[in-house]
Amino acid sequence: MICVAAAAATDLKIVPAVPKVPGMNTADACRAVSSLPEVLIEGIDRGIEAHVAWSQRLLRCALLREPPGDDVLLPDAHSRCDFGVWFAGQRTQIDGIDAALGQGIAAAHEGMHDAVRRLCQNVLQGQAAADADLHAYEHGQSAMLALLNRLRERAAEAATRTDLLTGLPSRHALGCTFGLRRSDAQRARAQLWLALIDVDPPESVNDGHGRAVGDQALAHVALRLQACMRDTDALFRFGGAEFLALFLSHDVRGAEWLAARLLDAVTAAPLATASGPTLRLSVTIDLARVRADEDLAGAT
């Protein structure tokens, strides 16, 4: 194992650019990412409730000839209803959890809207509703609700595999990624490296500025570290004030270079806290090369 001290970063002078979202600070970005599973679950619940209630709107249309509204009658009604608007806004995140489920929900939702539009148009024109349309509506709604319940389960599962403070994968998601990266290293004839990254020292931040600032500091460090990750790298919240990174390198010098880059990314960006003081943060990194036949337990 190789210990990389914070001072090592000053020799390389590497300051990577960190993408910034206008108007969003570290705490806002952290909350936006970490709330994703909860936002999805809440939206799914609302969608289920809204579309179960459609039977009442259909009944009023059938008995009272009451127009059900543009979010039923227009050709693009599936994108106008409350669920359709929410679903479109969350589609990227939903596809990130399960793209096939997202596609299935979209198809079932649009098919259900098409069927219910034909039903209501016939009723409002004084015509009998077609059995095929009623069957298509009932089938589409049942299929959509079943898929939404499955997505809800997947979102809840994702919440347990995501660290809510930093938005990073938690140690519970490490096992699968470790196996994939080890295979990548073998195919690329490279070495797989594991870096344990400790924030120094977390107690002084919590004791001097409070737990909220301590959490903000951890989220800030996570964003800085994540900005250094390449496509083949992986970063996890390992627990407490500790992160874990997996990356490929062909030799020890390349691994040390990346570790120094991570160190510089943190030390070069002091944290401006919401309460006023600016904190200079640092990390300590322990590097270890993973042997070809080594499992996760042995590597950590």
Side-chain angles (χ1 to χ4, degrees):
M1 181 173 289
I2 303 169
C3 182
V4 182
T10 59
D11 296 330
L12 295 178
K13 305 294 184 185
I14 301 170
V15 183
V18 177
K20 294 182 179 180
V21 179
M24 180 174 288
N25 58 29
T26 297
D28 292 336
C30 174
R31 281 192 293 270
V33 173
S34 64
S35 63
L36 172 59
E38 288 79 3
V39 169
L40 283 178
I41 292 172
E42 181 182 350
I44 291 166
D45 287 343
R46 288 202 306 267
I48 292 173
E49 293 172 0
H51 281 283
V52 166
W54 267 37
S55 57
Q56 299 175 1
R57 298 174 70 179
L58 284 177
L59 185 63
R60 294 182 67 87
C61 179
L63 296 179
L64 305 177
R65 302 295 192 269
E66 183 178 289
D70 289 346
D71 64 342
V72 172
L73 292 178
L74 292 181
D76 62 345
H78 63 280
S79 63
R80 290 174 173 265
C81 71
D82 289 343
F83 176 78
V85 172
W86 174 86
F87 184 76
Q90 299 293 323
R91 184 64 186 271
T92 299
Q93 289 80 6
I94 290 171
D95 286 350
I97 293 177
D98 192 319
L101 269 179
Q103 184 177 0
I105 292 169
H109 183 235
E110 185 171 356
M112 182 192 65
H113 267 277
D114 290 343
V116 79
R117 180 174 64 252
R118 293 190 297 267
L119 285 171
C120 290
Q121 287 174 340
N122 286 343
V123 168
L124 293 175
Q125 294 169 6
Q127 301 174 6
D131 288 344
D133 289 336
L134 182 59
H135 176 74
Y137 162 67
E138 292 174 341
H139 175 76
Q141 185 178 63
S142 296
M144 192 188 77
L145 294 179
L147 291 171
L148 282 174
N149 275 314
R150 193 180 309 168
L151 177 62
R152 191 181 190 281
E153 294 173 1
R154 294 297 304 276
E157 179 184 349
T160 66
R161 297 171 67 86
T162 302
D163 174 58
L164 298 183
L165 175 62
T166 64
L168 294 175
S170 71
R171 64 189 302 160
H172 302 294
L174 178 57
C176 179
T177 304
F178 179 85
L180 293 174
R181 292 297 180 267
R182 188 173 57 182
S183 298
D184 291 342
Q186 293 172 354
R187 283 193 296 269
R189 298 183 182 277
Q191 299 169 353
L192 176 61
W193 289 81
L194 183 150
L196 286 174
I197 307 166
D198 285 297
V199 180
D200 305 322
E203 295 81 6
S204 62
V205 176
N206 289 338
D207 294 344
H209 304 280
R211 182 63 179 270
V213 174
D215 287 347
Q216 189 181 356
L218 289 175
H220 178 76
V221 170
L223 288 175
R224 297 297 300 179
L225 295 174
Q226 184 63 46
C228 296
M229 295 292 105
R230 304 163 300 182
D231 291 342
T232 56
D233 302 334
L235 181 67
F236 302 83
R237 171 86 183 280
F238 199 58
E242 191 172 43
F243 299 90
L244 184 147
L246 295 173
F247 57 91
L248 306 186
S249 176
H250 288 282
D251 53 39
V252 66
R253 292 186 62 184
E256 290 176 340
W257 177 86
L258 181 58
R261 188 169 183 252
L262 294 172
L263 288 167
D264 240 9
V266 176
T267 57
L271 170 64
T273 65
S275 57
T278 298
L279 303 180
R280 296 190 175 276
L281 304 172
S282 62
V283 295
T284 300
I285 300 178
D286 290 331
L287 283 176
R289 183 171 65 87
V290 180
R291 298 189 304 271
D293 60 346
E294 195 168 21
D295 61 13
L296 178 58
T300 55

